[in-house]
Amino acid sequence: MSRIFLPSILMLLSLNVQAQFFVTPTDSIHETIYADSTISIFQIELVNETTDSLNLTWKLIEEEVTEGWDYNLCDLGECYVGVPNSAEMQAFASGEAGFLKMLVNPLSIEGYGFWHFWVYPTGDEDNFVNLYFSIDASGTDGVLDVE
């Protein structure tokens, strides 16, 4: 009987750890923008499902960006120049949301940007969630600048 009981407890504990936050609106943002557009902003929210405050850490897993683009990452508590390797977000209360936000300006350069992150409860890297930002920039918006 104890052999059945222990795996059941371990399964319940792992479900509780993984259910500390949920991702909205999706874990993957795939967008196409005009190469001559100004800053485009893309955000994924991480809503705290616990009854306490939550600390999340994110880690950059993969990055591929067209040379010459201007791009920055913001999380709850900080905006960075470019995208650093990892950081811990500011803690946020039950029911509130942390976020990862990409700000992209292709500076009229056609190309592609891709960022892959792990987000996990601070100190518990084994319980990560994958987040992806994938941005294609091509063409122009057809609006002529008049000076």
Side-chain angles (χ1 to χ4, degrees), residues 109-127:
I109 302 168
E110 292 191 6
Y112 174 75
F114 175 79
W115 299 268
H116 171 200
F117 298 94
W118 284 355
V119 178
Y120 50 90
T122 299
D124 191 11
E125 187 172 334
D126 291 338
N127 287 303

Side-chain angles (χ1 to χ4, degrees), residues 4-147:
I4 294 171
F5 184 68
L6 183 58
S8 298
I9 289 175
L10 292 175
M11 186 176 83
L12 286 173
L13 288 174
S14 72
L15 289 174
N16 286 337
V17 170
Q18 292 177 357
Q20 291 186 13
F21 64 95
F22 69 90
V23 176
T24 185
T26 178
D27 63 357
S28 302
I29 292 181
H30 303 281
E31 293 288 335
T32 300
I33 60 176
Y34 293 114
D36 66 346
S37 64
T38 56
I39 290 185
S40 297
I41 301 171
F42 308 97
Q43 182 168 313
I44 297 175
E45 294 189 353
L46 311 151
V47 181
N48 181 355
E49 290 188 303
T50 71
T51 57
D52 202 356
S53 64
L54 181 63
N55 288 83
L56 295 179
T57 298
W58 57 263
K59 181 177 183 178
L60 179 64
I61 301 303
E62 183 180 358
E63 176 180 60
E64 181 181 337
V65 185
T66 297
E67 188 175 336
W69 279 21
D70 182 25
Y71 57 94
N72 301 295
L73 178 76
C74 294
D75 65 24
L76 181 61
E78 188 79 32
C79 284
Y80 308 92
V81 175
V83 178
N85 289 329
S86 67
E88 184 178 330
M89 287 184 213
Q90 175 180 318
F92 51 103
S94 177
E96 293 185 349
F99 59 85
L100 285 185
K101 181 188 312 186
M102 288 298 307
L103 294 83
V104 179
N105 185 344
L107 300 170
S108 297
I109 302 168
E110 292 191 6
Y112 174 75
F114 175 79
W115 299 268
H116 171 200
F117 298 94
W118 284 355
V119 178
Y120 50 90
T122 299
D124 191 11
E125 187 172 334
D126 291 338
N127 287 303
F128 66 88
V129 171
N130 288 293
L131 298 184
Y132 304 92
F133 293 89
S134 175
I135 312 300
D136 288 302
S138 62
T140 63
D141 66 7
V143 177
L144 298 175
D145 290 329
V146 178
E147 293 184 28

